[in-house]
Amino acid sequence: MRFPMRSLLSAATAAGLVVLGAAAAAADDGDFTIKDPRIKESSGLAASRTHPGIYWTHNDSDDGPYVYAIDSKTGETVARITMTGVGRPRDVEAISVGSDGNVYVGDIGDNLGGTWKNVWIYKFPEPARLKDATVKATQYVVKYADGPRNAEALMVHPKTGRLYIASKKEGGGGLYEGPERLSTAGTNVFRRIDDVPWVTDGAFSPDGTKLALRGYFWAAEYDWKGGKLGTRHGVSAPLMRQAESVTYTPDGKALLFGSEGERSPVARVAVAGGGKSPSDAPTAPPPPARPSGRAARRWSSSHWSTRWHAEPPSSPR
């Protein structure tokens, strides 16, 4: 979804954030710009397991059943995959590549905060050759055990193959675990296993020992063991126009952070220990909880332009 540039920069100023961490400010081979003019709202990012240097992305919302393969050396699109057999996507927000050789696409957005009774996950095999193609995708119906909600982060664990979704909610969301194996025979129920800040994307490290989560003005790695969140380690993430995506590099030594917008940048940030033993680097705090009642009304009217997660005053998409 889009947010006004002025609102985002005002929020950053109000929070006293540093624009770029030292790790992100330096040029790096992993930095690139998405050049395809068709990609105006890159909302997810995932490293290919088959093609070195290739990253998968997609547009936000109802752009269509398209997924793009981007060459990180040039920023050019080398393949556009058109999914069939999935109907019309409603609000695609996330992408992840599993160790099973499949690309998972999360049609999990719900800007009305719980309108959709169910959302969808699509799956298709990562192609052996990179070229424009139409593929038959598998569609899974998903709902949450505690009711509908908005989400923008879909993660596949590289060892277990289990899928997780992080919800996006004012004041903090939840981390949801899917069934051991997804099924096309019925609805797949995701159950809340932990609390998380307001999340716009996430990714597991290649060795499965870390879970990286990001929001608009913060990022962190969490230790991951036994299917549970552990200690939180700050990551010095870059401030971007609209921080919507994150993924690990295939070697686990860095995180790539992406943003929406035309010719959107992707910035590489090294993680200490190659994703295995991160330092507590300075990081922006998680979004603050929104007050309730009368205080909420005062807060909303006086802080519209500086809210951490202000929706633009237009119809939800």
Side-chain angles (χ1 to χ4, degrees), residues 44-58:
L45 199 64
S48 169
R49 287 178 169 269
T50 303
H51 307 284
I54 298 299
Y55 289 84
W56 294 98
T57 191
H58 55 83

Side-chain angles (χ1 to χ4, degrees), residues 220-236:
E221 284 186 303
Y222 294 82
D223 294 335
W224 185 268
K225 186 175 182 180
K228 295 183 181 300
L229 285 177
T231 303
R232 179 184 187 272
H233 306 274
V235 174
S236 187

